[in-house]
Amino acid sequence: GAGVSQSPRYKVAKRGQDVALRCDPISGHVSLFWYQQALGQGPEFLTYFQNEAQLDKSGLPSDRFFAERPEGSVSTLKIQRTQQEDSAVYLCASSSRTGQADNYGYTFGSGTRLTVV
Amino acid sequence: AQRVTQPEKLLSVFKGAPVELKCNYSYSGSPELFWYVQYSRQRLQLLLRHISRESIKGFTADLNKGETSFHLKKPFAQEEDSAMYYCALRAQYNFNKFYFGSGTKLNVKP
């Protein structure tokens, strides 16, 4: 596609409910990233994939958070037993490169706004 | 630990006035610094990075390692510059992760 696509755009979940957020990166982009952006804050890194391999998951806040990218394209971020503190915008980004030299290929999606009530 | 601080939540200037958005960082190594911008109802996008030493849309930013700062400047603000601006740092040992500041909302008044 032309850009990074995220769905749904908005999600309201009851506390304790499981949610799944989807990211469709730009076709052929090797690297995929998830960030969490709480209200009034900047994005915070959650996890990074290179193709289907999850190379860094150091930012996942708890074991309730799980991300996968089984075929190296679409990625899903799953949150189990959602809590109110999980309310945030979840941003996905993809890049055509894997190295340090390039950052212009780092394209963000519009995000999914998750509200836990 | 890496940290990026943007002390101003909101900055309001009149059109044609100079603007400076402050960014300070803490990092013991050699960082890469970036400015990202998010216009209303648009996606977060890269504005500029210190390595390029470029001017984008009239904006420049100089990395000052002595003061650990990377302030974003523009001599004459335009109304279309109104947006959220985020300063971000990337560590030399892990270039797959950005550390973002909390952002500054720039409002350019006519």
Side-chain angles (χ1 to χ4, degrees):
Chain A
V4 177
S5 178
Q6 292 188 245
S7 59
R9 285 296 308 274
Y10 303 93
K11 176 69 180 178
V12 178
K14 291 185 178 179
R15 192 159 55 110
Q17 187 179 353
D18 297 351
V19 297
L21 312 180
R22 177 186 169 104
C23 173
D24 272 284
I26 293 174
S27 179
H29 273 198
V30 172
S31 299
L32 185 144
F33 311 82
W34 283 98
Y35 281 78
Q36 179 192 55
Q37 186 173 17
L39 188 64
Q41 301 298 316
E44 289 194 12
F45 173 85
L46 292 177
T47 188
Y48 160 63
F49 289 86
Q50 183 175 318
N51 296 307
E52 68 278 4
Q54 189 174 21
L55 299 186
D56 187 343
K57 53 181 181 179
S58 61
L60 295 177
S62 77
D63 58 8
R64 296 186 295 104
F65 286 72
F66 172 75
E68 59 183 6
R69 194 186 185 198
E71 297 178 358
S73 55
V74 171
S75 177
T76 304
L77 176 67
K78 297 179 179 178
I79 309 173
Q80 297 177 321
R81 304 180 304 281
T82 52
Q83 304 294 316
Q84 281 194 316
E85 61 263 27
D86 300 335
S87 295
V89 174
Y90 290 85
L91 296 170
C92 177
S94 71
S95 170
S96 58
R97 303 287 185 91
T98 60
Q100 183 177 13
D102 169 69
N103 189 58
Y104 293 102
Y106 200 102
T107 305
F108 279 91
S110 297
T112 293
R113 183 179 295 277
L114 172 66
T115 304
V116 181
V117 297
Chain B
Q2 299 77 27
R3 186 179 178 87
V4 177
T5 303
Q6 293 179 251
E8 303 141 328
K9 285 276 187 194
L10 173 66
L11 184 63
S12 287
V13 301
F14 284 102
K15 175 184 172 181
V19 63
E20 180 179 66
L21 288 84
K22 291 184 169 32
C23 172
N24 288 90
Y25 67 90
S26 62
Y27 176 56
S28 57
S30 183
E32 283 190 82
L33 273 297
F34 304 81
W35 277 98
Y36 277 81
V37 61
Q38 187 168 27
Y39 300 101
S40 179
R41 287 186 284 278
Q42 293 190 27
R43 304 171 185 212
L44 192 62
Q45 58 186 284
L46 177 69
L47 180 62
L48 55 79
R49 56 181 182 171
H50 89 270
I51 287 180
S52 308
R53 295 184 178 276
E54 58 199 344
S55 173
I56 302 293
K57 299 184 179 182
F59 284 97
T60 59
D62 291 318
L63 178 60
N64 186 324
K65 291 188 177 181
E67 296 183 358
T68 60
S69 68
F70 188 58
H71 303 327
L72 183 68
K73 300 176 184 179
K74 185 170 182 176
F76 307 104
Q78 303 299 314
E79 288 181 69
E80 55 265 30
D81 296 328
S82 295
M84 279 294 297
Y85 291 81
Y86 294 94
C87 181
L89 176 151
R90 193 164 69 174
Q92 64 185 135
Y93 63 86
N94 187 349
F95 44 80
N96 292 308
K97 180 188 292 189
F98 283 91
Y99 298 87
F100 285 88
S102 56
T104 297
K105 184 172 183 177
L106 175 64
N107 179 33
V108 181
K109 297 176 285 188

